[in-house]
Amino acid sequence: EPEVTQTPSHQVTQMGQEVILRCVPISNHLYFYWYRQILGQKVEFLVSFYNNEISEKSEIFDDQFSVERPDGSNFTLKIRSTKLEDSAMYFCASSFRPQSGELFFGEGSRLTVL
Amino acid sequence: ELKVEQNPLFLSMQEGKNYTIYCNYSTTSDRLYWYRQDPGKSLESLFVLLSNGAVKQEGRLMASLDTKARLSTLHITAAVHDLSATYFCAVVRADGLTFGKGTHLIIQP
């Protein structure tokens, strides 16, 4: 069964460092998302991406964050200068047609900022 | 701003019992999702509810959507231990989903 894959599964970094989280969405999907979940809290929307551009972003997604689809298969989230409060589980999701279908989530990348 | 409220946030129940989790949301939406999350794991899609009056059932779980009342319910019938997890409802917000805080469900033998 097709699935969304994410790497790394866990990354530990020092505050101020740049981090790139990678996602391979399901191959025929057209819409891509990043969500985050701080430990024990709810899942929060970060950004959606369609047709090679951001279609919506939340207030969490500030200038420290960026997304890219560099090669037609990967979808990346970059955090330019990590802060302690960026520690969370980051989930990538994809959908073929969100208006009528499911969003499929990856297993998540746990980011720990020290 | 879209608000999604679930209740209860924590539920401990015995095997064999029935219970309902409620999800209220604050603005018009015609799509609602239910997800299950096991500790440390990703989100598993349970139901996608696409229209007013939609009802879907899978095993011991049944979800419904009332868009007029802005309410969805997730009903658990004759609970079993394997259903212990956190359950999230999520409502469409433009292209993204707004999640409720989750209902942490523990089912005890």
Side-chain angles (χ1 to χ4, degrees):
Chain A
E1 187 176 324
E3 56 182 18
V4 177
T5 57
Q6 290 185 240
T7 53
S9 55
H10 189 195
Q11 181 155 357
V12 181
T13 190
Q14 296 288 327
M15 194 167 56
Q17 295 296 304
E18 176 182 284
V19 159
I20 297 176
L21 305 178
R22 291 184 168 79
C23 170
V24 180
I26 294 172
S27 62
N28 65 339
H29 283 187
L30 303 173
Y31 297 80
F32 315 113
Y33 308 83
W34 283 101
Y35 288 81
R36 80 168 186 194
Q37 185 180 32
I38 295 170
L39 186 63
Q41 298 189 24
K42 69 176 180 179
V43 179
E44 299 173 293
F45 169 73
L46 292 178
V47 66
S48 59
F49 192 87
Y50 170 72
N51 202 24
N52 281 322
E53 59 183 25
I54 290 174
S55 45
E56 193 183 3
K57 59 183 180 179
S58 72
E59 57 276 8
I60 302 168
F61 193 88
D62 62 21
D63 292 345
Q64 294 297 318
F65 291 89
S66 62
V67 289
E68 205 176 32
R69 188 154 160 82
D71 57 12
S73 62
N74 289 284
F75 178 52
T76 62
L77 175 69
K78 183 194 289 186
I79 308 174
R80 201 160 293 121
S81 176
T82 49
K83 305 189 280 288
L84 294 176
E85 53 265 36
D86 293 328
S87 295
M89 183 74 94
Y90 288 81
F91 291 107
C92 174
S94 71
S95 175
F96 177 70
R97 190 172 57 232
Q99 294 83 351
S100 60
E102 295 177 57
L103 262 68
F104 292 86
F105 283 80
E107 291 291 310
S109 293
R110 180 170 296 286
L111 176 64
T112 302
V113 182
L114 303 176
Chain B
E1 182 195 342
L2 173 58
K3 289 191 169 78
V4 180
E5 293 190 358
Q6 284 183 240
N7 74 84
L9 296 180
F10 182 81
L11 176 58
S12 178
M13 57 192 290
Q14 287 191 311
E15 279 192 327
K17 299 288 188 187
N18 303 334
Y19 209 83
T20 301
I21 299 169
Y22 297 88
C23 174
N24 288 92
Y25 53 97
S26 60
T27 63
T28 303
S29 177
D30 57 4
R31 266 183 292 151
L32 189 138
Y33 298 73
W34 282 98
Y35 286 91
R36 168 183 171 145
Q37 186 179 39
D38 291 297
K41 301 288 186 184
S42 186
L43 295 152
E44 176 192 347
S45 178
L46 295 175
F47 300 108
V48 182
L49 302 169
L50 297 174
S51 61
N52 186 39
V55 177
K56 291 197 175 176
Q57 181 158 7
E58 180 76 31
R60 299 173 189 275
L61 300 177
M62 183 172 72
S64 66
L65 177 62
D66 181 344
T67 57
K68 291 186 172 55
R70 299 177 188 164
L71 170 69
S72 179
T73 61
L74 181 66
H75 187 73
I76 303 152
T77 302
V80 293
H81 178 68
D82 286 352
L83 290 178
S84 297
T86 300
Y87 293 85
F88 291 93
C89 65
V91 178
V92 171
R93 170 185 170 274
D95 283 340
L97 297 179
T98 298
F99 282 79
K101 290 185 177 179
T103 296
H104 184 50
L105 175 63
I106 295 176
I107 299 168
Q108 297 175 348

